[in-house]
Amino acid sequence: MALRTPLMVVNLKTYPQGHGEAGFALCREMAAVAEASGACLAAATSALDLRRFAHKGGVPVLAQHIDVAPAGAHTGAVLPEAAVAAGAVGTLVNHAERQLDWATIETTLARAREAGLATVLCTADVEATARGAALRPDYVAVEPPELIGGDISVSTARPEVISDSVAAVAGTGVPVLCGAGVKTRADVEKAMELGAAGILLASGVVKAKDPGAVLTELVRGLS
Ligand code: G3P
């Protein structure tokens, strides 16, 4: 199950609704919406849930983070090769809640590439998006950190971050996802109008009372 644009990645983070049985049920709902709409919906899962969600969840699964450690004596490290063996098709890199320095970002992208994982490099602003896209991840996902988890979306509060990011990476061909505070179909539509190739979001879906209904609405804004 490969990733394709327009793409919506739901980051399950460490929300209770995104782990174990609840997270699995959410993946199944995502799969049903993807099937009904034709949209590409992917889940970024915890390392502990990755194998089950990837094999039985019905949607492409990304790791939320991988480490650059090689195989060997590195207790607790999440190896890219182990993520692939568990069924991951990709990984987030440098999420705002799991930031890396630029040298580590470069090494992580290289390790992911070698292992066969698609990469979604998260960035906080236009400058970082341009610098990150030059490293040729498969996607960049720009998210103003102050809007993450809030109720006002990047499309409304900082639309220029999306349009300027799209313009800044235009020469690279790297698709730009955006996120932070995305909750409604209108938020998604606006982001797509501004040139985004998709959305990276979390709370609007994971914490929703009826995630299936929310997703059904959100994916309508994708095209
Ligand atoms: O990884 C997605 C993210 O950081 C945005 O979170 O809750 O604002 O959709 P949220």
Side-chain angles (χ1 to χ4, degrees):
M1 266 188 278
L3 304 178
R4 62 183 154 78
T5 56
L7 171 65
M8 182 170 286
V9 179
V10 180
N11 182 0
L12 305 183
K13 299 197 174 181
T14 52
Y15 289 119
Q17 302 94 323
H19 278 255
E21 289 311 315
F24 184 68
L26 179 50
C27 283
R28 299 297 312 169
E29 289 203 70
M30 289 174 61
V33 173
E35 167 85 27
S37 64
C40 186
L41 283 170
T45 77
S46 99
L48 295 173
D49 286 318
L50 201 152
R51 180 178 296 275
R52 180 179 178 216
F53 292 7
H55 288 282
K56 305 251 162 117
V59 286
V61 162
L62 289 81
Q64 292 179 4
H65 169 79
I66 54 168
D67 291 297
V68 295
H74 302 284
T75 303
V78 178
L79 299 186
E81 294 78 8
V84 170
V89 300
T91 184
L92 302 182
V93 177
N94 188 48
H95 191 274
E97 292 147 12
R98 195 65 192 253
Q99 290 178 50
L100 306 172
D101 59 44
W102 281 103
T104 309
I105 288 172
E106 282 199 49
T107 314
T108 304
L109 292 174
R111 289 280 282 114
R113 220 170 273 132
E114 272 166 29
L117 286 172
T119 49
V120 179
L121 174 61
C122 301
T123 54
D125 54 32
V126 177
E127 191 191 339
T129 304
R131 184 171 175 179
L135 303 174
R136 295 295 194 272
D138 293 284
Y139 302 86
V140 283
V142 62
E143 302 191 306
E146 71 281 7
L147 299 174
I148 290 178
D151 286 324
I152 302 179
S153 84
V154 57
S155 327
T156 302
R158 307 277 310 278
E160 74 289 353
V161 170
I162 305 172
S163 45
D164 291 354
S165 292
V166 170
V169 310
T172 67
V174 178
V176 177
L177 311 182
C178 69
V182 173
K183 299 273 189 298
T184 67
R185 174 180 173 175
D187 295 336
V188 176
E189 278 170 352
K190 182 77 187 292
M192 301 304 284
E193 276 164 30
L194 293 167
I199 303 289
L200 171 61
L201 84 172
S203 54
V205 169
V206 183
K207 293 169 74 178
K209 282 212 175 80
D210 184 349
V214 170
L215 279 166
T216 299
E217 252 323 271
L218 288 175
V219 298
R220 291 194 174 121
L222 271 183
S223 44

